[in-house]
Amino acid sequence: MMMVGNLMRRRVVSWQQKALGQRIPFSTMTQNTYKDDHDCQILMSPSLVSLDHLPDLWPPDSTDFQFRSTKSHSNEQTAAVINGQLIAEEIRARIASEVRRMKEFIGKAPGLAVILVGQRRDSQTYVRNKIIACEEVGIVSKVTELPDDCTEDEILTAVSGFNVDPSVNGILVQLPLPRHLDVGKISDVLSLEKDVDGFHPLIIGNLAMRGREPLFIPCTPKGCIELLIRSGIEIMGKKAVVIGRSNIVGLPASLLLQRHHATVSVVHVFTKDPEYITREADIVFAAAGVPNLVRGNWLKPGAVVIDVGTNPIELK
């Protein structure tokens, strides 16, 4: 869902420039919230720079600092499910409307290229879902599939070809890759302006720094934030725990939560007593890739939990 949104955010500026015959400032291109033809926001998440207007000013005398008391929660609370599927459908419907307008103005639709290496079931599922999402909104998709034992040069050749292909506006190399491949080397070759997954070091660097706006935000963390905002869940000032620190989800998710002014802890495989740290959180992102890791006794009443993982489990 968010990959499609990332791709549209880049492409929408391109067609608006042509339709309006004017140059749009770079600051406008990097906005993460944009609107469709009904003047309704496609994404509710604000640009990160717009969140930076609050200065980090501590009171000169710590005794004057008024700590907010946490609300008590009843142990009898009924769990509420965030309907991610419904939210995704709403976003895709608005993106489809934008793609139709784009075709009317310039006669072209955005293009996404995906490079899939190997036969991992989870990667195949992710790619299949992305292609289906593209089809639903009218985005043209291309998939290059390579075997597990392919060489780096084969991947680099595919990436380089998509870099210069004018019909391709976004490129993603499905991760993780087989261990014999250098992910960093491949990411460095990928065109910065087409890296809709947002994994390039410069993009992650801009995500980490206040006052900077990355061209793209990694899709899964962005989707998690969008779910929270659309569900009316406050992020600012809340305690958040991200379980997992991968470059794909855990790291960018922790940075994005910080940009939204949450107090963030990262739990990983070397963390001592992870259940105690997690139990303090108002918001939990489970992104460790381990099924059934987070148990009910890891969570305090009223905590909001986003399960990022997709794990096939055999039913007995």
Side-chain angles (χ1 to χ4, degrees), residues 139-152:
I139 291 175
V140 179
S141 59
K142 303 179 181 181
V143 180
T144 294
E145 297 188 44
L146 298 170
D148 276 300
D149 59 354
C150 72
T151 65
E152 280 181 9

Side-chain angles (χ1 to χ4, degrees), residues 115 152-162 189:
I115 299 173
E152 280 181 9
D153 286 341
E154 289 178 279
I155 300 179
L156 295 177
T157 297
V159 170
S160 299
F162 289 138
V189 172

